[in-house]
Amino acid sequence: MLERIEQARKTIHASCEKVGRPIQVMEVCGTHTVSIFRHGIRTLLPENLKMLSGPGCPVCVTDQGYIDVVMDLARRDDTIIATYGDMIRVPGKGGSLESLHRNNIKVVLSTDDGLTLAKKHPDKIVVFVAVGFETTTPPSAVAVMDGARDGVDNFCILSGHKLVVPAMQALLGSKNDKIDAFLCPGHVSVILGSDAYKPVVEEFKRPCVVAGFEGIQILEGLAKICEQIAAGTAEIDSVYGAAVTPQGNKVAWKIITDMFEPCDGAWRGLGVIPSATMKLKDQYKQFDALHRFGIKEVPTEEPAGCRCGEVLCGLIDPPQCSMFGKKCTPDTPVGPCMVSTEGACSAWYKYGR
Amino acid sequence: MCLAVPARIIEKDGDRAVADAMGNKWNIRITLTPDIEVGDVVLIHAGYAITKVDEEEAQKTWELFEEIAHFEEERLKAEQQGGDDA
């Protein structure tokens, strides 16, 4: 193992020296962000190689307007809100789900649990808080599929599901063209397949390398990226062959596309990105919380003074935000990047200072 | 959020299965991985198997989890002792 670490480190240093100029590599996965800090990987990198934490944590990219809609639904007497634990502390305009102290808010471990709640409480409408990237979208799709099959008419989802690749394109296209390459998410790529990054490689000529979550995999992924930058190439590569194939999980992808279609939607910090949010297809609209409750529009808003948006685009490091570590800490988070344990601000606060 | 944990399938009934990860048993769905058989090792995310992985890969993750749990125990022990002294 030590030999592999040393080999990767040497390749990274030699390549970066050859390039000479500053290099910026963005990881697009919250689990990578935490792993990079936890393993002290930044301390092994040459000075001209900088890691940026991109829009890879689903909680962090969820727009405040979405949270406000969840909060409005939670205040009703005819609903039960079923949510993954990650979302419970994210503040909207009027506080977080946790701060409401209502017993109609239930933390669940799977979409199945949400559907079970609906069957148990026929007098309530269960709203599943459906956030997450391609890894987390299939379970929401299956829940709606099961709900439709079993005739569960008091279950719906508020879809904030996101697609990673169009966000990477939007980032390069309009927000930050200084990103030299991407370290691509492992488990999103299990579903998507590594070939999905073709547009980034072909259109923007940026290397995309998929890695798993162990320190050594991240280092070896970075070594492959740096070699490509030094050679002036931009290709798709993967060091997570144990779980990721070029084609991905086709069964999961078919279930997603049977139930959902892409639409324009707001991402925190990135604004509205075309075709990067997933909504239920028309034939399943009775399972769509927006349709069910007659919500015409999800407002887009960001909390005043919060610079999470710039953090997510790789434009600033968390300590450059004046609230970081002062008004905004893991105990009193203002922005989602501090709330989520996978957020860049939370990781910087814990390990980076 | 996209964390996934390796576990071995020990029972299977239609698109539902029971998986074992280091002695912890979970009821999971195998809707996304219909070709899975009892004995296979899969990655589980939010109650769903998302792909089959090889034994060696899973073993590495399980060892890593054991290591983390061990460190955590040691840390708690050290904290408690520190607390007693104070």
Side-chain angles (χ1 to χ4, degrees):
Chain A
M1 179 64 90
L2 272 176
E3 228 167 80
R4 278 172 67 191
I5 294 173
E6 189 48 23
Q7 185 57 43
R9 200 191 64 85
K10 268 189 191 156
T11 306
I12 293 169
H13 279 258
S15 305
C16 288
E17 201 182 314
K18 191 176 161 202
V19 175
R21 66 173 172 86
I23 300 171
Q24 304 203 77
V25 176
M26 177 175 270
E27 84 267 1
V28 202
C29 170
T31 317
H32 275 160
T33 302
V34 172
S35 191
I36 286 167
F37 274 106
R38 193 179 280 154
H39 290 99
I41 284 174
R42 283 168 188 247
T43 59
L44 296 176
L45 305 179
E47 259 183 31
N48 66 328
L49 173 57
K50 185 169 189 226
M51 295 300 298
L52 305 173
S53 303
C57 144
V59 175
C60 304
V61 300
T62 300
D63 190 70
Q64 185 175 305
Y66 176 95
I67 312 282
D68 292 337
V69 170
V70 176
M71 297 284 285
D72 286 344
L73 293 174
R75 288 191 192 94
R76 294 173 64 115
D77 291 325
D78 59 347
T79 58
I80 293 175
I81 305 295
T83 176
Y84 293 125
D86 309 52
M87 291 299 284
I88 204 91
R89 293 185 60 220
V90 186
K93 235 182 336 196
S96 64
L97 284 174
E98 188 181 50
S99 72
L100 285 181
H101 298 293
R102 285 178 63 96
N103 57 13
N104 67 333
I105 300 165
K106 310 284 184 200
V107 171
V108 295
L109 296 175
S110 74
T111 51
D112 272 19
D113 296 346
L115 200 58
T116 306
L117 271 175
K119 289 175 181 168
K120 258 194 212 156
H121 301 276
D123 55 324
K124 303 279 186 196
I125 302 167
V126 171
V127 182
F128 187 80
V129 181
V131 297
F133 295 117
E134 288 87 339
T135 335
T136 315
T137 313
S140 297
V142 175
V144 172
M145 220 162 66
D146 289 355
R149 182 198 59 205
D150 299 345
V152 185
D153 60 7
N154 63 327
F155 176 77
C156 60
I157 69 168
L158 184 64
S159 177
H161 285 304
K162 304 282 190 211
L163 299 170
V164 165
V165 179
M168 291 161 74
Q169 291 171 279
L171 202 53
L172 288 172
S174 67
K175 294 283 180 183
N176 186 355
D177 62 359
K178 302 277 187 294
I179 303 160
D180 291 293
F182 290 100
L183 185 71
C184 298
H187 294 145
V188 162
S189 304
V190 166
I191 305 292
L192 268 186
S194 51
D195 278 354
Y197 301 103
K198 255 189 192 150
V200 181
V201 166
E202 286 174 359
E203 193 183 328
F204 294 96
K205 311 279 181 252
R206 303 300 206 280
C208 286
V209 177
V210 178
F213 303 97
E214 292 162 51
I216 180 66
Q217 281 204 2
I218 291 172
L219 268 182
E220 287 179 343
L222 284 174
K224 289 212 178 276
I225 286 173
C226 293
E227 273 181 321
Q228 284 199 43
I229 296 174
T233 56
E235 284 163 14
I236 294 169
D237 206 339
S238 166
V239 294
Y240 198 24
V244 175
T245 60
Q247 299 78 29
N249 182 333
K250 284 188 172 167
V251 175
W253 190 245
K254 182 174 185 308
I255 291 175
I256 293 178
T257 49
D258 279 350
M259 311 301 291
F260 286 95
E261 61 192 1
C263 66
D264 302 350
W267 289 54
R268 197 180 295 246
L270 288 102
V272 173
I273 303 179
S275 303
T277 298
M278 293 299 251
K279 69 167 188 147
L280 281 173
K281 285 185 170 173
D282 243 16
Q283 64 259 45
Y284 300 106
K285 68 179 177 202
Q286 72 270 31
F287 292 96
D288 183 337
L290 292 181
H291 172 79
R292 180 116 204 186
F293 293 97
I295 302 163
K296 293 271 178 296
E297 209 184 340
V298 180
T300 59
E301 250 181 287
E302 310 233 341
C306 174
R307 297 182 75 184
C308 278
E310 289 162 90
V311 171
L312 289 167
C313 293
L315 295 168
I316 62 164
D317 284 332
Q320 288 172 262
C321 173
S322 64
M323 290 198 284
F324 177 81
K326 298 185 184 94
K327 194 176 165 197
C328 185
T329 69
D331 289 332
T332 55
V334 177
C337 298
M338 188 62 94
V339 177
S340 168
T341 51
E342 293 191 342
C345 297
S346 158
W348 269 87
Y349 189 89
K350 252 194 248 164
Y351 307 101
R353 296 184 309 157
Chain B
M1 189 178 208
C2 297
L3 210 61
V5 179
R8 189 186 307 280
I9 303 292
I10 53 173
E11 280 171 43
K12 181 183 151 179
D13 179 17
D15 76 338
R16 292 177 189 272
V18 180
D20 178 311
M22 305 164 74
N24 298 305
K25 290 188 179 43
W26 288 336
N27 291 315
I28 62 155
R29 298 283 294 268
I30 51 171
T31 324
L32 311 175
T33 53
D35 299 333
I36 287 303
E37 298 296 340
V38 170
D40 285 344
V41 180
V42 294
L43 284 181
I44 300 175
H45 169 75
Y48 281 74
I50 56 169
T51 190
K52 193 175 152 177
V53 283
D54 62 39
E55 193 84 29
E56 196 190 336
E57 182 67 20
Q59 201 59 43
K60 276 192 286 184
T61 311
W62 287 329
E63 278 166 18
L64 194 70
F65 280 135
E66 259 169 29
E67 212 174 295
I68 292 169
H70 177 73
F71 274 125
E72 197 57 18
E73 259 172 45
E74 294 288 310
R75 194 182 62 81
L76 284 176
K77 240 189 257 170
E79 255 184 27
Q80 270 171 3
Q81 277 168 5
D84 290 345
D85 291 345

